[in-house]
């Protein structure tokens, strides 16, 4: 079900993108294979992220189980330990990325140019929200919350982490230079181990958001704005999680599930 969820997510994203792009074409938007208006590019990416979540929930339901947020890792964990492990994961990825860049000199990403960050403040803010808040939540929901969990139940932690990392790198083929897909696969692998160590998706989302914030700010040649973006992104994710908890979408983990998770963690 893990690869099927990814394929269905991408298919849903393509269909959803058409539902966004066709009306835009009818209204006079100029779309070609080499050019998509920034507003449409942002909308298409939001649709893709939403498709990832929908595909995950759909395939989770096929197991004839009651679907809950805790199934996907949206459960509490020890904050101090999770923060240390998230920072360690991020630093390890950054070190690997620096070594990789020194060896292969990858080109500059064109994603932010496609999203129109240099065209207006509104597009800049929307792109930042998409890259640093929405994408980390939805991608972690699919790749760690569903795919890694499904593969782990099938073949164990290490094969699951490797396969999930490779899929995570591959799905960025359209938005990142080809040579950058290897470090991204490494990040996906590290985030799987972070999820396994903490038992929660929240540290993975936070680490993913911090990495994207740093990359976003670097591509924009920012300085002091980068830590501001990091703080704003984490605050936005926290407020969204709090709103979902109060709305009952994210409910406390059932006691039996929590006990089972703690037993598995201690065995690992």
């Amino acid at each position: 079900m893990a690869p099927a969820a990814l394929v269905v997510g991408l298919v849903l994203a393509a269909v959803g993108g058409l539902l966004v792009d066709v009306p835009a074409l009818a209204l006079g938007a100029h779309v070609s294979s080499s050019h998509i208006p920034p507003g449409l590019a942002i909308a298409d990416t939001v649709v893709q992220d939403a498709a990832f979540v929908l595909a995950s929930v759909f395939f989770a339901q096929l197991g004839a189980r009651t679907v809950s947020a805790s199934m996907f890792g949206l459960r509490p964990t020890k904050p101090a330990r999770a923060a240390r492990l998230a920072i360690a994961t991020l630093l390890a990825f950054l070190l690997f990325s620096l070594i990789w860049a020194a060896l292969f000199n990858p080109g500059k990403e064109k994603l932010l140019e496609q999203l129109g960050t240099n065209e207006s403040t509104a597009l800049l803010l929307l792109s930042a929200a998409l890259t640093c808040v929405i994408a980390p939540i939805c991608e972690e929901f699919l790749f760690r919350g569903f795919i890694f969990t499904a593969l782990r139940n099938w073949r164990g932690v290490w094969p699951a982490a490797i396969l999930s990392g490779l899929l995570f790198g591959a799905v960025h083929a359209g938005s990142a230079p080809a040579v950058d897909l290897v470090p991204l696969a490494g990040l996906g692998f590290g985030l799987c181990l972070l999820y396994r160590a903490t038992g929660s998706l929240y540290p993975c989302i936070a680490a993913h958001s911090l990495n994207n914030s740093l990359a976003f700010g670097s591509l924009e040649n920012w300085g002091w704005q980068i830590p501001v973006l990091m703080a704003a992104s984490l605050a936005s994710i926290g407020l969204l999680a709090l709103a979902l908890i109060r709305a009952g979408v994210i409910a406390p983990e059932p006691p039996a599930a929590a006990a089972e998770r703690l037993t598995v963690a201690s065995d690992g």
Side-chain angles (χ1 to χ4, degrees), residues 75-83 197-203 261:
R75 58 176 80 97
T77 187
K78 295 180 179 179
R81 179 172 179 270
T198 61
S200 173
L201 199 64
Y202 294 125
R261 176 169 57 85

Side-chain angles (χ1 to χ4, degrees), residues 24-120:
L25 286 171
L27 293 173
H30 174 65
V31 179
S32 66
S33 58
S34 59
H35 173 75
I36 299 178
L40 277 183
I42 292 174
D44 289 344
T45 307
V46 171
V47 168
Q48 173 185 285
D49 290 336
F52 285 170
V53 174
L54 291 175
S56 301
V57 173
F58 173 76
F59 279 93
Q61 288 178 330
L62 293 182
R65 300 172 58 187
T66 301
V67 176
S68 65
S70 64
M71 286 177 55
F72 300 95
L74 295 175
R75 58 176 80 97
T77 187
K78 295 180 179 179
R81 179 172 179 270
R84 291 195 300 270
L85 291 174
I87 292 173
T89 301
L90 184 56
L91 290 177
F93 166 68
L94 293 176
L95 177 60
F96 177 56
S97 296
L98 289 174
I99 296 173
W100 187 264
L103 292 174
F104 296 100
N105 191 27
K108 186 176 180 180
E109 290 188 22
K110 302 295 184 180
L111 177 60
L112 297 190
E113 294 180 10
Q114 297 170 1
L115 297 179
T117 58
N118 59 341
E119 295 185 16
S120 71

Side-chain angles (χ1 to χ4, degrees), residues 18-29:
L18 287 175
L19 294 178
V20 172
D21 293 348
V22 170
L25 286 171
L27 293 173

